[in-house]
Amino acid sequence: MSEPLILGIESSCDETGVGLVRGDQLLANQVASSMEEHIRFGGVVPEIASRAHLEAMRPTLERALVEAEVDLKDIDAIAVTAGPGLMGALVVGLSAAKALAWALDKPLYGVNHLIGHVSVDVLEHGPLPQPAMALLVSGGHTNILKVNDLAGDVQEIGTTIDDAAGEAYDKVARLLGLEYPGGPVIDRLAKQGDPKAISFPRGLTARHDLDKHRFDFSFSGLKTAVARWVELRRRDKQSFDVADVAASFQEAVADVLTAKAVDACQVHGIDHLLLGGGVAANSRLRELLAKRCAQAGINLRRPRPALCTDNGAMIAAVGAALVKAGVAPSSLEIGADSGMIASTVSL
Ligand code: KG4
Ligand code: ZN
């Protein structure tokens, strides 16, 4: 008998994602983004995102069914992002998923968006050896996670004490006068710059930080350092190359993320590392992590960039793991948890 067909619905931020998977097999991945509508505000406007989800949900679901060549009645279980994310945005996906679960009389799984970023790689590279370490870098989160079992045993090893890595990209892009979201723009621009041009600080890497914050991150000091550097040049009417600033900033981010992730693997004796989240699409981070993992004898798994940014397939992947492990479904009365912590896989 073939494995169950899982529908995944994602609506935690500005992407309406609908995915369909069967076991580790990706059948459909449709995403509608409201990004364009947020650009002129320089960041995601929650109410615009919620309204866009409401409008995009049904057409995105229909496109996914067509792509997978399946019918609504073929679906065996429904997984939906229950958190973390924007409350008004989460509620739209949850309502759609609950309506479908009730109407189709199929189980509902309210799942963690962050675990989605970690789980999506199985759709590309097959089952994840466990335990594995995961470096999760997104717009709202930066974590090192020890994944003992994707279906329920995930332990936080480190986190950011201030800004997330993606947030730092977005803020630095803004102060350089670049468009939102900053990650892809800085990634492109940095290719024309010199990463060694400016020596920006590497947060929480000093000797005295290692006791308490060995695997934690801090990007707020880096952002302030970039702001100050640019401010001084502008004040003195000194010209500078924005590409050099972008490349040097990016190098500082990639250096800290990769050094700490490799260190966490070595300290915990784990030789599989998984990269996930929107910032995992970053070309320099992917390259540097591959180099450092190879040097340390760590097997690195990197989902393709299109699966790194928010999507519904990653949520369906969590659903598939939960169904396979026999985890009890969620109640149809679950709420959204905008601050859901990484160690909670499902509600
Ligand atoms: O995971 P994601 O799609 O949404 C959240 O869950 O937050 O991550 C979005 C973040 C944004 O901050 C965006 O600037 C960043 O991922 N991002 C990138 C790249 N593509 C997206 N950051 C660096 N380089 C990229 N190529
Ligand atoms: Zn995300």
Side-chain angles (χ1 to χ4, degrees):
M1 225 182 74
S2 69
E3 293 187 75
L5 178 65
I6 316 290
L7 172 72
I9 296 181
E10 153 63 28
S11 73
S12 67
C13 193
D14 55 350
E15 261 97 34
T16 312
V18 180
L20 282 155
V21 312
R22 207 185 271 289
D24 294 342
Q25 200 193 346
L26 174 60
L27 302 179
N29 187 26
Q30 292 290 329
V31 178
S33 178
S34 60
M35 189 116 56
E36 292 288 318
E37 297 177 64
H38 305 285
I39 288 176
R40 68 192 172 102
F41 300 103
V44 175
V45 181
E47 294 198 353
I48 294 179
S50 304
R51 199 209 61 230
H53 287 307
L54 199 56
E55 292 169 359
M57 191 57 71
R58 192 189 130 125
T60 311
L61 170 60
E62 272 176 356
R63 285 204 309 276
L65 293 169
V66 170
E67 185 189 350
E69 297 179 10
V70 298
D71 223 59
L72 265 187
K73 64 171 173 21
D74 301 327
I75 291 167
D76 296 302
I78 295 149
V80 59
T81 304
L86 303 170
M87 182 50 83
L90 290 165
V91 159
V92 179
L94 269 164
S95 303
K98 286 183 181 192
L100 286 165
W102 198 26
L104 299 171
D105 194 21
K106 297 295 174 189
L108 174 81
Y109 293 85
V111 310
N112 190 320
H113 176 89
L114 307 176
I115 304 303
H117 278 307
V118 176
S119 304
V120 74
D121 187 68
V122 303
L123 303 175
E124 205 173 8
H125 301 118
L128 180 70
Q130 293 168 347
M133 207 55 96
L135 173 62
L136 168 66
V137 274
S138 72
H141 293 82
T142 307
N143 297 102
I144 297 178
L145 303 172
K146 183 169 173 241
V147 183
N148 297 313
D149 178 0
L150 267 183
D153 186 1
V154 176
Q155 204 184 332
E156 188 177 276
I157 302 291
T159 186
T160 176
I161 61 164
D162 42 56
D163 293 350
E167 194 178 348
Y169 265 97
D170 296 336
K171 286 178 175 170
V172 165
R174 194 173 186 163
L175 72 89
L176 292 175
L178 307 169
E179 260 187 7
Y180 173 85
V185 188
I186 289 184
D187 196 350
R188 273 197 304 276
L189 190 61
K191 290 191 171 51
Q192 287 130 47
D194 175 7
K196 294 203 182 88
I198 311 150
S199 170
F200 285 129
R202 271 66 168 159
L204 297 182
T205 55
R207 189 176 288 267
H208 63 264
D209 291 319
L210 296 183
D211 277 352
K212 254 181 81 187
H213 292 295
R214 182 163 184 164
F215 305 123
D216 291 330
F217 302 97
S218 166
F219 294 107
S220 139
L222 170 61
K223 171 199 67 193
T224 308
V226 177
R228 220 171 264 148
W229 191 94
V230 170
E231 227 169 73
L232 280 177
R233 267 63 199 174
R234 283 183 180 147
R235 191 197 64 192
D236 298 343
K237 305 213 170 2
Q238 255 179 289
S239 67
F240 61 88
D241 188 350
V242 182
D244 282 348
V245 181
S248 301
F249 158 76
Q250 175 160 281
E251 196 61 19
V253 175
D255 183 21
V256 176
L257 288 172
T258 53
K260 293 205 177 210
V262 167
D263 187 34
C265 288
Q266 289 175 325
V267 167
H268 287 264
I270 291 179
D271 58 4
H272 291 276
L273 176 65
L274 185 98
L275 180 63
V279 183
N282 185 262
S283 58
R284 179 58 183 150
L285 174 61
R286 296 172 76 86
E287 175 189 64
L288 188 59
L289 193 56
K291 185 173 151 205
R292 289 186 170 171
C293 281
Q295 284 165 347
I298 296 167
N299 304 298
L300 174 64
R301 299 185 34 140
R302 297 172 297 181
R304 60 176 182 263
L307 291 179
C308 291
T309 45
D310 292 349
N311 63 80
M314 69 190 216
I315 303 305
V318 184
L322 294 172
V323 170
K324 193 166 185 183
V327 174
S330 309
S331 124
L332 281 188
E333 275 82 63
I334 55 165
D337 181 358
S338 59
M340 202 167 185
I341 56 169
S343 53
T344 307
V345 174
S346 63
L347 292 181

